[in-house]
Amino acid sequence: MMIRKNLFLCLCFLFFYMGMAQEIELKGKVFERSSGEPLVSALIRVKESSLATLSDDEGNYLLRFDKKGVYTVSASYVGFSEVNKKVELRRNQTLDFFLDNNIQLEEVLVTSTAPNERVKSLTMGVEKLSAVEIKQMPALMGEVDVIKAIQLLPGVQTASEGGSGFSVRGGSPDQNLILIDNTTVYNASHLMGFFSIFNNDVLSGIDLYKGDMPLKYGGRLSSLLDVRTKSDHPERFKGVGGIGLISSRLTMEGPVGEKTSWLAGGRRSYADLFLKLSSDEALRKSSVYFYDFNAKMTHRFSNDDIIDIGGYYGKDNFGAEPGDFHYGNGAASVSWRHVYSRMLSSKVSFNVSNYDYGLRSKLEGAKATWESSITDYMLRLDMTHSINEMWNLTYGLSSILHRFKPGFAKMDTSSEGESAINYKVEGSNALEHGVYLSNEQKLSETLSVKYGVRLSAFQNMGKGTVYHYNDDYRVTDSLIYKSGEIYNTYMALEPRLGFAWRFGENSSLKGNYLRNAQFMQLANNSASGSPLDVWFPASPNIKPQVVDMFSVGYFRNLDDNTYETSVELYYKKQKNVIDFAEHANLMLNKKLEGEVRTGRGEAYGAEFMIRKNKGRLTGFVNYTLSRSERTIPGVNKGKTYLSPYDKTHNLNIVANYELSRKCSFSAIWVYATGNPTTYPSGRFEVEGEYFPVYSGRNEYRRPDYHRLDLSFTYIPRPDSGKRWRGEWNVSLYNAYGKKNPWMITYDQNEDTGLPYAEMMYLFGVVPSITYNFKF
């Protein structure tokens, strides 16, 4: 009886397999012809049947046919002309579509996702922007900027005027994981933060996860900024660029045969060239500039096997008598994407990241240098396994080698270059590992859930010296570990749980819980940040930071997805949050851990958003009400105080108006409560010298921040059939000249001894004009 039952089951499996084998697959990608960028959520359907699907985030689609035959397959997208193709299906085939802009269309959809993606998806606290959307925003000094764009999103606040650092839901800038093509970026700024390192012309889009980051990524508490460069296959050689008052850029891409494509893009600022025209000799000898370069090559062995090789290198230089200063990022990545079947795919990647800075000076015959760096080597495997609506699995593992070099300084005093002073803060190494598993389930037509867990491990590795401190943070002992020796290990379990409950096609309620752990942080005692900030790891003296976050949100689309609205509430509870002692010495300090203080933190808030996607007038308005606090023994006498990144109110208004096919206007207005700060509240006198007495930590606030930016774009010949197409962009940053404080310093009058404050601001009105082109 048992043999018959087994034989019956085998036959059933065989018939099932044969039925599956008869399916014929048609797959490919949908592109915008002019730019070569993939189109997300394009509709692909078969005219002879009801078979249809939407392209994914990379423009890919897949259709399965029950039988062979000749079919008419169409691809369409709002704002583009529909393309129909006849295909004779005898076996599995590949068919790509290239769609042209429909310039006669009166209403243009500007979202980078499906119209009701925010309603339908399981994720929350996620913001997506395409390169086109970022380009529509007003520019600072002629450059549209990824970081400036995300600083306008709900729950995201700028750390300082003009800077590229940002705070997400009350967290500090070092709690944000920034990636470019899966490679970590430790400093995303050019020119001290006035530009970011991301060239918008080489990007396909960005995703910002405000806490609920995918489980395959770890190591940060607050957010993930995932920046992706183009990996499409253009039909022909083409380019795009711009010439501005401060900087210029050029990006080119093209095919190499039928299976390989390449992309290369570079930027260079040239403010230093204008300095050479100055009548002041010191200015003529000065230099202030940055440059960066992106390159990528994609090879398709088939639609099931794709290899990407990419790289980034950028540098900033500041030179003036008697010295100079430089910093920069380097990143390289190799990835292999493989499709095993319609259910299973993988991605293997190897990434290298480096950030370094250096200072050199020469004064009265003495030469001084200072160098610091951090380097990562990462290997990861990510698997996607979609079995059915109940089992949509993602799983994988990763391992990173961190090399920290906090600082090396030397001073040469002799003409022969012999070193009289040689000071080095000993470097350290660490390993960071992660393994994860997550699943998404569709329980019914209205209810979906997701859950998963990540297990992270962090290991300190020699060669290194570990100091032991008493309760007063004085060194009592030290231990030296040999090279390669693992002397400390932390483990962290990071669970996720979320749900989405849909009320029809246009509204949903979502909830989410997560835990994140962070094993490295910045030594930084100012909210504005500096390229000289030093990354340092968790250790036997410093435990990993941990956050538990709860969030809930309601999402509703109106008027056939013309309007998107949402309300999200969040609560964050942090353990082992990092701060520093009063008047801490953070630069070239071998005993930096003795300056660290740890405690607990709390942040909560509400984010409101309304976005208009269709019509001549598009844009969004968002408002964030929030609070962020810390309680740390040894800081502010153990009393609770405001985080440096606490901003009670934050309002952003962004509007884009298409006057005609030739002319369009953009405007941004931002308002935020001033950053918490510590002011002198009194003074005392010692032998005629006056010394300030400061208030409690962050008891006061700087003046509120607000600014208006305007932009006008003119396209002389929008209907031109020529390959060369140009446009002019004129912008005003801080249009009404608000003097927002960048730094406030305190001093005392030499005659009266009375204290006074001085405010430094960076920008008045900053006009800019840029000529953009593509061919």
Side-chain angles (χ1 to χ4, degrees):
M1 185 69 180
M2 182 62 67
I3 295 176
R4 290 181 181 178
K5 182 181 292 185
N6 290 337
L7 180 60
F8 175 75
L9 291 174
C10 289
L11 289 173
C12 289
F13 175 80
L14 179 61
F15 288 134
F16 173 76
Y17 178 80
M18 292 175 62
M20 292 291 291
Q22 291 176 358
E23 283 190 346
I24 301 174
E25 293 185 352
L26 178 67
K27 58 186 177 181
K29 297 188 73 170
V30 185
F31 300 96
E32 179 186 357
R33 185 182 299 276
S34 61
S35 67
E37 294 184 10
L39 293 175
V40 181
S41 298
L43 175 64
I44 301 92
R45 59 190 179 94
V46 180
K47 293 294 184 70
E48 290 81 4
S49 70
S50 59
L51 191 61
T53 188
L54 295 175
S55 58
D56 64 14
D57 289 345
E58 296 182 350
N60 299 301
Y61 75 90
L62 173 64
L63 293 170
R64 298 186 182 92
F65 296 80
D66 295 331
K67 58 183 180 180
K68 302 175 183 179
V70 178
Y71 298 94
T72 303
V73 184
S74 72
S76 60
Y77 191 79
V78 178
F80 292 76
S81 299
E82 181 177 334
V83 174
N84 296 285
K85 292 187 178 183
K86 277 191 177 295
V87 57
E88 184 177 0
L89 286 179
R90 300 296 180 188
R91 65 184 69 86
N92 293 346
Q93 289 183 219
T94 299
L95 183 66
D96 292 338
F97 289 89
F98 293 85
L99 276 57
D100 293 303
N101 287 91
N102 185 350
I103 59 174
Q104 302 299 324
L105 195 63
E106 292 300 325
E107 292 189 346
V108 178
L109 186 67
V110 299
T111 57
S112 59
T113 58
N116 58 348
E117 173 73 13
R118 289 169 64 86
V119 172
K120 293 174 61 177
S121 69
L122 260 169
T123 56
M124 62 180 300
V126 180
E127 306 290 348
K128 298 176 182 286
L129 287 174
S130 69
V132 175
E133 290 175 276
I134 298 169
K135 182 182 176 183
Q136 291 176 337
M137 296 183 178
L140 168 62
M141 298 182 184
E143 283 276 350
V144 291
D145 192 275
V146 167
I147 301 295
K148 299 294 187 297
I150 67 167
Q151 289 173 349
L152 299 170
L153 299 175
V156 184
Q157 296 153 350
T158 178
S160 64
E161 164 77 1
S164 62
F166 59 96
S167 167
V168 177
R169 292 181 169 177
S172 56
D174 65 344
Q175 294 176 358
N176 305 316
L177 177 61
I178 303 176
L179 302 176
I180 179 168
D181 286 341
N182 232 22
T183 307
T184 305
V185 173
Y186 282 101
N187 187 332
S189 71
H190 278 314
L191 291 184
M192 308 295 287
F194 303 144
F195 294 83
S196 83
I197 68 167
F198 303 114
N199 181 354
N200 194 54
D201 292 337
V202 306
L203 304 184
S204 62
I206 64 170
D207 296 336
L208 176 68
Y209 297 83
K210 296 180 291 188
D212 185 18
M213 63 183 70
L215 273 169
K216 63 182 178 180
Y217 301 111
R220 297 294 188 275
L221 298 188
S222 291
S223 76
L224 162 68
L225 177 60
D226 186 14
V227 181
R228 302 177 304 279
T229 61
K230 297 176 182 178
S231 59
D232 53 323
H233 189 87
E235 287 186 308
R236 58 173 177 81
F237 169 76
K238 57 185 178 181
V240 61
I243 301 172
L245 298 179
I246 305 298
S247 65
S248 293
R249 66 193 193 279
L250 176 64
T251 298
M252 297 178 291
E253 58 182 319
V256 180
E258 296 182 353
K259 294 186 176 182
T260 305
S261 61
W262 60 272
L263 176 146
R267 295 186 296 173
R268 214 280 195 184
S269 67
Y270 32 75
D272 56 312
L273 302 181
F274 294 107
L275 294 178
K276 297 184 185 300
L277 303 176
S278 173
S279 58
D280 187 287
E281 183 179 357
L283 286 177
R284 287 200 303 271
K285 294 181 179 181
S286 300
S287 63
V288 179
Y289 67 93
F290 75 84
Y291 62 88
D292 59 33
F293 181 75
N294 293 83
K296 190 170 187 178
M297 179 167 286
T298 301
H299 181 75
R300 300 170 182 268
F301 294 97
S302 68
N303 269 8
D304 294 337
D305 288 281
I306 302 174
I307 288 183
D308 291 309
I309 302 174
Y312 167 87
Y313 184 77
K315 209 76 172 179
D316 283 71
N317 288 276
F318 302 85
E321 292 294 340
D324 61 80
F325 164 53
H326 66 87
Y327 68 92
N329 292 274
S333 63
V334 179
S335 66
W336 171 39
R337 290 172 283 170
H338 178 67
V339 178
Y340 298 93
S341 68
R342 61 186 178 86
M343 295 188 297
L344 182 64
S345 63
S346 68
K347 183 176 182 180
V348 180
S349 59
F350 176 70
N351 308 83
V352 179
S353 172
N354 179 77
Y355 172 69
D356 64 82
Y357 65 79
L359 295 93
R360 294 185 293 266
S361 66
K362 184 177 181 181
L363 189 63
E364 296 180 355
K367 298 179 181 179
T369 61
W370 174 17
E371 298 174 349
S372 179
S373 67
I374 177 172
T375 305
D376 286 353
Y377 304 90
M378 180 178 71
L379 181 66
R380 65 180 305 121
L381 167 67
D382 300 302
M383 305 288 295
T384 302
H385 197 171
S386 299
I387 301 173
N388 53 42
E389 291 185 343
M390 294 294 291
W391 298 100
N392 290 286
L393 301 170
T394 57
Y395 48 90
L397 51 88
S398 64
S399 185
I400 308 173
L401 170 62
H402 301 286
R403 294 192 180 276
F404 302 89
K405 295 182 179 179
F408 172 75
K410 67 178 181 178
M411 180 175 290
D412 299 328
T413 56
S414 66
S415 58
E416 289 78 16
E418 297 178 359
S419 180
I421 300 175
N422 200 355
Y423 186 85
K424 181 179 180 180
V425 178
E426 187 174 15
S428 62
N429 302 312
L431 294 171
E432 185 174 351
H433 315 286
V435 58
Y436 69 93
L437 171 66
S438 66
N439 184 35
E440 292 187 5
Q441 290 185 330
K442 186 178 179 181
L443 301 180
S444 68
E445 290 300 320
T446 58
L447 182 61
S448 300
V449 297
K450 67 173 182 177
Y451 51 87
V453 66
R454 176 185 176 91
L455 178 63
S456 298
F458 189 84
Q459 299 176 301
N460 297 101
M461 183 171 65
K463 184 178 179 182
T465 301
V466 176
Y467 297 96
H468 297 279
Y469 301 87
N470 60 18
D471 293 339
D472 295 325
Y473 296 96
R474 298 182 183 275
V475 176
T476 59
D477 194 6
S478 65
L479 287 175
I480 299 175
Y481 295 92
K482 63 182 180 181
S483 179
E485 181 180 0
I486 304 295
Y487 59 86
N488 180 62
T489 299
Y490 285 113
M491 304 288 290
L493 199 63
E494 303 172 59
R496 299 280 199 283
L497 180 62
F499 74 89
W501 186 10
R502 292 176 57 190
F503 307 98
E505 291 294 320
N506 298 316
S507 62
S508 64
L509 178 69
K510 303 180 188 181
N512 188 67
Y513 163 75
L514 63 90
R515 169 173 286 189
N516 289 335
Q518 181 165 336
F519 302 97
M520 49 195 295
Q521 48 274 315
L522 271 177
N524 174 18
N525 54 13
S526 72
S528 57
S530 162
L532 301 180
D533 294 337
V534 175
W535 287 88
F536 65 101
S539 70
N541 295 312
I542 301 174
K543 295 180 179 179
Q545 301 181 75
V546 178
V547 65
D548 291 284
M549 188 174 81
F550 303 85
S551 56
V552 64
Y554 178 71
F555 302 82
R556 184 173 179 81
N557 287 9
L558 304 170
D559 193 15
D560 192 27
N561 297 314
T562 299
Y563 298 93
E564 295 179 19
T565 63
S566 64
V567 179
E568 295 188 46
L569 310 176
Y570 68 88
Y571 174 77
K572 297 167 66 174
K573 187 174 183 179
Q574 302 179 60
K575 294 191 299 183
N576 307 322
V577 64
I578 295 288
D579 211 330
F580 297 92
E582 304 288 348
H583 313 297
N585 175 23
L586 305 183
M587 309 306 295
L588 290 175
N589 187 351
K590 293 182 178 181
K591 302 178 180 63
L592 176 64
E593 293 179 348
E595 305 285 0
V596 174
R597 306 292 183 264
T598 61
R600 57 184 175 86
E602 187 178 50
Y604 48 90
E607 299 167 1
F608 304 87
M609 175 82 161
I610 181 169
R611 179 194 296 266
K612 186 174 184 291
N613 295 320
K614 299 178 182 179
R616 292 184 179 274
L617 177 64
T618 59
F620 57 82
V621 178
N622 62 63
Y623 168 72
T624 302
L625 176 66
S626 61
R627 184 83 168 180
S628 179
E629 299 175 331
R630 296 175 180 175
T631 306
I632 299 178
V635 177
N636 200 42
K637 300 179 180 179
K639 299 178 182 177
T640 299
Y641 62 96
L642 293 176
S643 158
Y645 309 100
D646 175 80
K647 294 185 179 181
T648 308
H649 305 286
N650 195 305
L651 175 66
N652 299 302
I653 302 174
V654 177
N656 303 299
Y657 184 73
E658 185 181 5
L659 183 63
S660 67
R661 292 199 301 272
K662 289 187 175 183
C663 303
S664 61
F665 297 89
S666 298
I668 294 174
W669 188 74
V670 297
Y671 168 85
T673 304
N675 288 82
T677 188
T678 303
Y679 285 159
S681 58
R683 61 176 180 156
F684 64 92
E685 180 185 356
V686 177
E687 298 179 352
E689 289 279 340
Y690 290 94
F691 299 91
V693 176
Y694 286 90
S695 65
R697 180 75 65 96
N698 294 339
E699 277 191 1
Y700 296 92
R701 288 189 182 273
R702 292 183 177 182
D704 291 351
Y705 180 96
H706 54 90
R707 188 188 79 239
L708 173 68
D709 302 336
L710 300 173
S711 178
F712 171 73
T713 300
Y714 174 69
I715 306 174
R717 291 184 293 274
D719 302 335
S720 173
K722 296 181 179 179
R723 288 190 59 177
W724 183 279
R725 299 182 65 181
E727 66 179 35
W728 291 94
N729 177 268
V730 180
S731 63
L732 279 178
Y733 180 87
N734 195 17
Y736 53 75
K738 175 67 167 64
K739 297 178 180 179
N740 291 298
W742 183 63
M743 183 182 297
I744 298 178
T745 58
Y746 307 96
D747 206 340
Q748 64 181 25
N749 188 290
E750 294 182 358
D751 297 327
T752 64
L754 295 176
Y756 65 92
E758 287 185 335
M759 184 190 79
M760 180 185 298
Y761 69 94
L762 293 177
F763 301 115
V765 179
V766 182
S768 180
I769 182 169
T770 303
Y771 177 71
N772 298 309
F773 57 87
K774 59 182 178 180
F775 55 89

